[in-house]
Amino acid sequence: MAISLDLITGVLSFLFTLMILSYLIGDNPVFRLAVYMFIGITSGYIASIIWWQVLAPRLLMPLLPALLSGSIVEKVIAITPLLGAVFILMKLSPRLSKIASIAMAFLVGAGAAVIIAGALIGTIIPQISATINFFDPQLAAQRNINVIEVLGNGAIILVGVVTSLGYFHFSARQQANGTVRRFFLIEIIAFIGKIFIGTTLGVIFAGVYATALTAFIERISSLINFFGNF
Amino acid sequence: MQFSFAIKGKYSIWSGTDKKHTAELEPILPQWLKAARDAARNVESEDDTPDFMQANQEKQKAPISPPDFLAGLQAQTGDDEEDEDVPSWLANITGASPKSKPAKDEISSDIRWVEMGDKDDFAQSENILAQQPSATEKQNEEDMPIWLAGLHTDTQSEKDELTDWLQDTNASNELPPLSIGAQFPNAGKENDEKEDVVEPSTLDDTPDWLKQMSDEAQEKSEQDTSSQPTSPLLADGDIPAWFEQLSNTSAEPIEAQTPRDAPELSIDTPNWLEQLPDTSAEIVEDQTLKDSPELSGDTPNWLNTLNASEENSKPESAEVAEPSIPTSEAFSFTDADIPEWLKSPTEPQDKKQDTTPAWLKSEDQSSEFELPAWLASEDTVRLHQPQAEEPVSDSLLSDLPDWLKSAAPETTIFDTPTDEAEVNLEETQMETKSSVPEAESVDPYASMPAFVSDSQNSESIESLFTEMPDWLSRADEQPADLAITTNEDILPSNDLPSWVEAMRPNNSGLGQISSAASDQSAESHGALAGLQGVLPAGVGFNPTSKPKVYSLKLNADDEQQRQAGILEDILAAETSPVPIASFGMLRSSRGLRWTLAFLMLAVVLSTTILNIKFFSLPQGLPSEINSAIQVMQSIPENAPVLVVFDYEPSRASEMEVVASPVFDQLLLLKHPRLTFISTNETGAMLAERFIAGPLAGHSYQNGVTYSNLGYLPGGQLGVRAFAQNPSLIAPFDINLQPVWGSAPLQDVSLFSHFATLILITDNADAARVWIEQTQGLRGNLPFIIISSAQSTPLIQPYYASGQVNGIVSGLYGGALFEQYNAGRPGTARNYWDAYTVGMLLATVLVGIGGLWNVIVGLRERGEGN
């Protein structure tokens, strides 16, 4: 009698689901066993992925053809990643850790440049422009949004941005009675900003709950389906 | 320092080196003096040396005295060639022309140390004095008491007062004592030194006629020689024969010297006069004064006073003047120990030109001798050599005979109204001396001229030293390191009172300490005076008393104690640790947790099992979903679509539910060529699972209709690089096969060549990375994000800004999109009831929890009020 893969997968899924749900009664060895197995399997899988999808095809496989028949540029391009990887491995030795700083400096510098540039181009400037464009009727018309809705959305977004930033304004003066309080207008803005921030966090929490609830429902459905198949 | 001028006065009686023409005084000599001189001539050859040296003298004939009244002194010198041993004034008296006195060496001052008996002071000031005598002299004058200053002035400038001073001697001696012992701690010692200073002058200057007076006493003293201690001067042979006789006449035993008698003597006689009774008490009384009744009329008043005073202090005077050299030590000299000048006073040819004792001439000459301890002490015989000066007293006392001159200045000490203090000093001195038994030890200072070391600093005092006899000033030539001086020699313990003696450290342990080899200083004050190495040397450190003991007990009243208690409480409160107020850890209630779990499990399980579907799917499309639907509908047929799988496997259930209707519609309508890539390591696996699971009905095959590029390493850098040059960054699929020439990626070489970019992610950061890094490289590439419910709020602004063309988020978005896909695949609908019940339950629970918190807060406020 051949055991189908779906049966094995279904049994393991059922067992691991119960093991994880056992956390309901607290931390227990069954829960830890399930967690350790997930971590171990994931690590092994990631290691295999790194080797088979990163090191082998992107570092080693191009090296030999480049050294044998490649041009100087190809050789340099092929050797440089390997050399950088070897340098980073030098961090394992305290004496040679300074050598790794070369590759790390390159990575940090290049990463910082890429991140900053991407943030400016992809987030900051577009978001500022979007906040301003909320009051542009032409853009609203292009998006089939009437003016009132545009002004309402734009006003809410503008108020939300200003008040949220005002909430993080902590400059204050010392009062006559010795207490320290912010300026009255800032206090009002901060209070409104607190509402916006709370709302955002509430929405995020609702999304997290919805995600978790969906996963829970899927697990319950899979269990029902597993037992329903028998 | 305060005795500096007193010393000057004393030394001024020594005429110095100038010629003294005493021949012209011959006619005016009183008869009694002439008689005494004649008597001295008869006895001069008998005892010129101490008794203990008579054995040596037996081998040597006594020198023949010249035919004058100072023949005895001249005989002591031995020869004309030895004039330098004799003071110049003595030489003039004898009529012989004195030879010019050679310049004194600096080390001749050492002998003054011996005289002073206070080496410590010299050790501190010797160099200073040698370099800056004038300054030191000024300092001495400043430090000098007023009474001494007056004395000094009187001595130098008012010679006419000498006679008056002599007349007032009796009156000054009768002054009541002053209690200045506290102000002059060394007064007793200094007073002793005064006596000692006078003693040699008295002995050496006494003419032969005085020896004549002591005939009877000499005979008596010869009988007692063996039991009488001999002074160091006698032992050293520095004392003339006449003084030896005088000293031998001290018939009173030392045992009779009691401290009780000392004050009487000190009160009745001044120090300088004490020397006379010290040396020849009975002689002066019995022979000179009594046998020469006319003397009282011819002699000055001070001699009369002397006569009167000595009648009351015969025993004491003899005792005080008695040198404290023990007999044992005095007779312990062997032939080798005896200086050559004593051995052969009549053999001047053995000496070069003078009769200076060999032990006083130089180290080389005297190294072969064993000097007495009190002279051999190196530590105590250093003084710089003063230059020869014209004695001041000569000009002042030119009217008097030399022998009177020699005696007169001593009275200037008592010419001042401060004799009370000196009387007290004398008392101390007498107390000290009275305690001298038949000593086994020698007190060298007792026989030395006693004056304060500070006084030597002055220039005038130096001039006084030039008037010293040459034999004494030659003493500096003696080698200080020849003999071994013990502390016992320096300070005989018997000189101390009994109670001080009891406190005195035992010197036996010190042994015979070589003063030459020792660099330790000798004590100059107190009961330890003269001892070496007893106390550690410290400059300027002279502990005078025992440290005062302070009581630690406080006398505090009740109020102070109460305040102290308050202070202690405050300090205790400051030092005690203050517990840090911390909030109680919020712990979930097990019952609540079980209750919520049960509710959730029951609701979800029941709705899933029952699959009633009583909740309808949502109606209406949000703009972002509508935009996503429009983008999907705008994708050309068989167009390459890049799909990014960036979510965790744990979110696979939600993401597959959301993405399934989108891709089902897309694959069903457009048949796109899919290319999968992931910035997550598990993304490639999730892509395969997605194709093999929800989209299994479309029969998509790897390498034909889709290609899986697998994992894109490098994070944002990888995304940026892939967006710039996808074929270079990801040349292979998960099977390590080149994909950029395959069917799924046909005609695709750039990022913008894809028809649509679909990002499936549960992480807002992943969405932001793809949005940011592909911002300028997408061009007109539509960008749709299929996200989980938790990341949608953070991705929504990018849709609002137009950077993302559509968003399908969560089960809600999947259910909406599924409605526009004819309800396919139906997964969202299966979950929708449970999802809705669960969301309602969560809403209810959140509401209940919020209401509970409000109630609890109101109750706490009410309790607080």
Side-chain angles (χ1 to χ4, degrees):
Chain A
M1 181 175 125
I3 299 175
S4 65
L5 184 61
D6 293 339
L7 179 62
I8 298 173
T9 304
V11 172
L12 293 176
S13 299
F14 173 76
L15 293 176
F16 277 99
T17 301
L18 293 179
M19 294 168 68
I20 296 298
L21 289 177
S22 67
Y23 187 74
L24 185 64
I25 60 176
D27 193 6
N28 58 86
V30 176
F31 172 78
R32 291 185 178 181
L33 177 62
V35 171
Y36 295 157
M37 291 186 69
F38 277 120
I39 293 174
I41 293 170
T42 303
S43 299
Y45 176 76
I46 291 175
S48 63
I49 292 297
I50 294 297
W51 173 254
W52 290 109
Q53 294 188 13
V54 178
L55 295 179
R58 304 174 191 269
L59 182 64
L60 300 179
M61 293 174 64
L63 185 60
L64 185 59
L67 294 177
L68 295 177
S69 60
S71 63
I72 297 177
V73 176
E74 292 175 349
K75 292 179 180 178
V76 172
I77 293 175
I79 294 175
T80 300
L82 178 61
L83 191 61
V86 172
F87 285 172
I88 292 174
L89 289 177
M90 296 299 178
K91 290 183 71 68
L92 298 175
S93 174
R95 294 189 306 169
L96 305 176
S97 61
K98 291 185 178 180
I99 299 176
S101 59
I102 299 174
M104 293 301 297
F106 174 77
L107 293 177
V108 172
V114 170
I115 292 172
I116 292 173
L120 286 174
I121 297 173
T123 300
I124 296 176
I125 294 175
Q127 291 300 315
I128 294 175
S129 299
T131 305
I132 296 172
N133 292 333
F134 270 113
F135 298 94
D136 188 355
Q138 296 180 356
L139 292 177
Q142 293 178 1
R143 301 174 63 178
N144 298 322
I145 301 174
N146 58 28
V147 178
I148 297 174
E149 184 179 0
V150 168
L151 293 178
N153 291 335
I156 294 173
I157 292 172
L158 179 61
V159 172
V161 171
V162 172
T163 55
S164 297
L165 294 176
Y167 175 80
F168 295 99
H169 181 77
F170 297 110
S171 297
R173 292 182 178 178
Q174 186 174 10
Q175 303 299 318
N177 57 1
T179 60
V180 178
R181 294 180 62 86
R182 292 183 291 191
F183 185 58
F184 180 73
L185 181 60
I186 298 298
E187 287 287 347
I188 295 175
I189 294 174
F191 178 76
I192 298 172
K194 187 165 58 177
I195 295 174
F196 277 93
I197 293 172
T199 303
T200 303
L201 295 178
V203 171
I204 294 173
F205 175 76
V208 172
Y209 175 75
T211 302
L213 181 60
T214 304
F216 179 68
I217 293 171
E218 190 273 334
R219 280 295 87 195
I220 295 297
S221 299
S222 65
L223 290 176
I224 293 172
N225 295 332
F226 175 75
F227 286 102
N229 294 331
F230 292 96
Chain B
M1 180 172 294
Q2 60 267 28
F3 294 97
S4 60
F5 294 98
I7 295 166
K8 175 183 178 181
K10 290 178 183 177
Y11 280 93
S12 65
I13 65 175
W14 297 2
S15 303
T17 58
D18 295 341
K19 295 180 179 180
K20 303 296 186 295
H21 301 284
T22 57
E24 59 187 10
L25 299 176
E26 185 67 19
I28 63 174
L29 276 177
Q31 187 61 34
W32 63 271
L33 277 177
K34 294 179 179 179
R37 180 182 61 185
D38 295 336
R41 288 174 179 173
N42 296 329
V43 298
E44 63 183 359
S45 61
E46 294 181 3
D47 294 316
D48 287 343
T49 57
D51 294 338
F52 70 93
M53 295 182 179
Q54 286 183 359
N56 294 330
Q57 289 180 343
E58 290 177 1
K59 300 176 182 180
Q60 303 168 356
K61 288 185 176 180
I64 300 174
S65 300
D68 57 12
F69 73 99
L70 292 176
L73 292 175
Q74 189 174 10
Q76 183 182 4
T77 61
D79 196 330
D80 293 339
E81 296 178 356
E82 299 173 341
D83 288 340
E84 292 183 358
D85 288 345
V86 181
S88 59
W89 62 274
L90 284 178
N92 293 333
I93 288 176
T94 57
S97 60
K99 293 182 179 179
S100 61
K101 184 178 181 180
K104 296 180 179 179
D105 298 334
E106 291 184 357
I107 55 175
S108 63
S109 60
D110 295 343
I111 192 63
R112 294 170 207 166
W113 262 26
V114 177
E115 297 166 354
M116 304 294 278
D118 193 356
K119 76 173 183 62
D120 289 341
D121 295 337
F122 278 94
Q124 296 176 0
S125 59
E126 182 177 5
N127 296 330
I128 299 174
L129 292 174
Q131 296 175 359
Q132 297 176 351
S134 59
T136 307
E137 182 180 3
K138 292 179 181 179
Q139 183 64 29
N140 293 334
E141 293 178 358
E142 292 175 0
D143 297 338
M144 181 177 57
I146 297 173
W147 62 274
L148 278 179
L151 180 63
H152 173 64
T153 303
D154 294 341
T155 304
Q156 288 185 346
S157 62
E158 298 178 3
K159 67 177 183 178
D160 293 338
E161 294 180 3
L162 179 62
T163 304
D164 298 335
W165 172 81
L166 291 173
Q167 294 175 354
D168 296 337
T169 301
N170 287 332
S172 63
N173 293 336
E174 294 175 357
L175 290 175
L178 287 175
S179 58
I180 60 170
Q183 299 177 0
F184 301 95
N186 297 330
K189 178 182 177 181
E190 293 166 353
N191 207 1
D192 292 340
E193 294 171 354
K194 287 179 183 179
E195 293 180 357
D196 296 337
V197 168
V198 175
E199 183 177 1
S201 65
T202 306
L203 297 176
D204 295 339
D205 296 343
T206 303
D208 294 338
W209 57 270
L210 282 178
K211 299 178 184 177
Q212 186 69 23
M213 298 177 199
S214 60
D215 287 339
E216 295 179 0
Q218 179 180 3
E219 294 176 357
K220 184 178 180 180
S221 63
E222 289 175 355
Q223 298 174 357
D224 298 333
T225 300
S226 59
S227 60
Q228 291 290 337
T230 306
S231 68
L233 290 175
L234 293 175
D236 295 336
D238 294 341
I239 301 174
W242 60 269
F243 177 71
E244 181 182 359
Q245 297 173 356
L246 293 178
S247 63
N248 292 333
T249 58
S250 300
E252 290 295 329
I254 295 178
E255 290 79 6
Q257 300 174 2
T258 59
R260 295 186 301 271
D261 300 334
E264 297 177 357
L265 177 63
S266 61
I267 293 173
D268 295 337
T269 59
N271 286 340
W272 69 274
L273 285 179
E274 289 176 4
Q275 308 307 316
L276 289 176
D278 290 346
T279 57
S280 59
E282 294 182 357
I283 296 173
V284 173
E285 179 184 3
D286 297 335
Q287 295 181 0
T288 304
L289 298 180
K290 290 182 178 179
D291 295 342
S292 300
E294 67 278 12
L295 182 62
S296 60
D298 296 336
T299 55
N301 292 334
W302 66 273
L303 284 179
N304 295 330
T305 305
L306 174 66
N307 185 17
S309 62
E310 289 180 354
E311 291 179 357
N312 297 328
S313 60
K314 281 181 181 178
E316 292 80 6
S317 63
E319 295 165 1
V320 169
E322 189 67 23
S324 60
I325 296 177
T327 306
S328 59
E329 179 176 347
F331 285 99
S332 64
F333 291 111
T334 60
D335 292 341
D337 296 336
I338 299 174
E340 287 297 328
W341 63 278
L342 286 179
K343 288 181 178 180
S344 59
T346 57
E347 297 176 1
Q349 63 277 6
D350 295 338
K351 314 301 176 187
K352 291 180 180 179
Q353 289 185 352
D354 53 14
T355 58
T356 301
W359 59 274
L360 289 176
K361 290 175 69 175
S362 64
E363 293 183 3
D364 297 336
Q365 295 177 354
S366 59
S367 60
E368 56 185 325
F369 302 109
E370 179 177 348
L371 294 178
W374 64 275
L375 282 178
S377 176
E378 180 183 3
D379 296 337
T380 57
V381 290
R382 287 289 179 266
L383 189 67
H384 69 279
Q385 170 67 30
Q387 297 297 326
E389 293 181 358
E390 194 70 19
V392 178
S393 60
D394 262 357
S395 59
L396 298 178
L397 306 176
S398 60
D399 296 339
L400 294 176
D402 290 341
W403 64 274
L404 283 180
K405 290 178 182 180
S406 62
E410 293 184 350
T411 59
T412 59
I413 301 174
F414 306 96
D415 199 16
T416 61
T418 59
D419 291 340
E420 293 180 354
E422 297 184 1
V423 169
N424 281 342
L425 300 181
E426 292 174 8
E427 292 177 358
T428 306
Q429 168 197 5
M430 294 307 297
E431 290 177 358
T432 303
K433 287 193 173 184
S434 62
S435 64
V436 176
E438 293 182 9
E440 296 178 359
S441 62
V442 178
D443 184 4
Y445 298 115
S447 61
M448 297 176 188
F451 52 87
V452 179
S453 59
D454 293 339
S455 62
Q456 298 175 358
N457 299 336
S458 65
E459 183 178 359
S460 60
I461 298 306
E462 293 179 357
S463 65
L464 293 177
F465 283 104
T466 61
E467 301 171 2
M468 294 170 57
D470 293 340
W471 63 269
L472 189 56
S473 51
R474 290 282 183 154
D476 54 359
E477 299 176 359
Q478 64 171 337
D481 53 350
L482 290 178
I484 296 175
T485 301
T486 63
N487 290 328
E488 189 67 21
D489 295 333
I490 295 172
L491 179 64
S493 59
N494 294 329
D495 284 349
L496 301 174
S498 58
W499 60 275
V500 179
E501 180 63 22
M503 299 171 60
R504 196 173 188 273
N506 187 7
N507 201 21
S508 60
L510 298 176
Q512 297 296 326
I513 301 174
S514 174
S515 60
S518 174
D519 57 351
Q520 294 175 335
S521 60
E523 297 300 321
S524 61
H525 305 288
L528 301 176
L531 295 178
Q532 294 182 357
V534 177
L535 295 176
V539 178
F541 178 72
N542 294 317
T544 57
S545 62
K546 191 176 181 180
K548 191 174 183 180
V549 178
Y550 295 95
S551 175
L552 297 178
K553 186 176 181 181
L554 297 177
N555 294 325
D557 55 8
D558 295 338
E559 180 65 17
Q560 292 174 340
Q561 291 181 355
R562 186 181 63 81
Q563 294 176 353
I566 295 173
L567 179 60
E568 290 179 354
D569 295 339
I570 294 173
L571 294 177
E574 292 292 335
T575 56
S576 61
V578 179
I580 299 175
S582 60
F583 297 99
M585 185 176 180
L586 295 177
R587 294 181 178 179
S588 60
S589 173
R590 182 180 295 271
L592 179 62
R593 187 170 58 190
W594 276 99
T595 302
L596 295 177
F598 176 76
L599 290 176
M600 292 298 298
L601 184 61
V603 169
V604 172
L605 186 60
S606 60
T607 55
T608 303
I609 294 175
L610 296 176
N611 195 12
I612 300 174
K613 297 181 181 177
F614 56 90
F615 289 99
S616 62
L617 292 173
Q619 300 296 322
L621 290 176
S623 63
E624 63 272 15
I625 295 177
N626 189 20
S627 298
I629 293 173
Q630 293 177 0
V631 170
M632 294 297 178
Q633 293 175 355
S634 64
I635 294 175
E637 185 71 19
N638 199 23
V641 175
L642 179 63
V643 181
V644 180
F645 284 83
D646 271 346
Y647 59 90
E648 296 294 334
S650 61
R651 301 290 189 269
S653 58
E654 182 189 15
M655 301 311 298
E656 290 177 353
V657 172
V658 177
S660 295
V662 176
F663 278 92
D664 182 75
Q665 184 184 31
L666 181 63
L667 294 179
L668 183 62
L669 298 177
K670 304 297 179 181
H671 303 284
R673 293 173 292 167
L674 301 178
T675 301
F676 302 138
I677 194 170
S678 174
T679 56
N680 188 355
E681 293 83 356
T682 59
M685 183 190 66
L686 294 174
E688 295 294 331
R689 182 181 184 273
F690 182 70
I691 293 296
L695 301 178
H698 296 281
S699 301
Y700 265 65
Q701 296 179 357
N702 187 13
V704 179
T705 53
Y706 81 94
S707 62
N708 190 355
L709 300 178
Y711 171 64
L712 178 64
Q716 297 190 44
L717 295 175
V719 173
R720 183 67 178 182
F722 180 80
Q724 293 176 346
N725 191 356
S727 61
L728 180 62
I729 300 303
F732 307 102
D733 60 2
I734 58 174
N735 296 322
L736 300 180
Q737 298 297 322
V739 294
W740 292 100
S742 62
L745 290 175
Q746 190 176 4
D747 301 331
V748 176
S749 59
L750 296 177
F751 186 76
S752 58
H753 292 171
F754 289 102
T756 301
L757 173 61
I758 300 174
L759 173 63
I760 305 172
T761 181
D762 62 341
N763 191 352
D765 292 336
R768 181 176 58 81
V769 169
W770 281 99
I771 293 170
E772 291 178 350
Q773 300 303 326
T774 60
Q775 179 67 29
L777 302 174
R778 289 196 306 265
N780 293 325
L781 178 66
F783 188 13
I784 296 173
I785 296 177
I786 299 172
S787 65
S788 67
Q790 65 180 2
S791 61
T792 302
L794 301 177
I795 300 173
Q796 191 71 28
Y798 292 100
Y799 169 76
S801 64
Q803 295 175 279
V804 175
N805 299 108
I807 298 174
V808 179
S809 62
L811 184 61
Y812 175 77
L816 286 175
F817 207 95
E818 196 174 61
Q819 294 180 33
Y820 289 91
N821 191 32
R824 295 183 62 184
T827 308
R829 184 64 184 91
N830 295 333
Y831 295 168
W832 184 251
D833 291 339
Y835 177 81
T836 304
V837 173
M839 293 299 291
L840 290 175
L841 179 62
T843 304
V844 172
L845 293 177
V846 169
I848 293 172
L851 182 62
W852 177 260
N853 287 332
V854 171
I855 294 172
V856 171
L858 293 176
R859 186 178 61 181
E860 290 180 353
R861 290 185 180 181
E863 293 177 354
N865 295 329

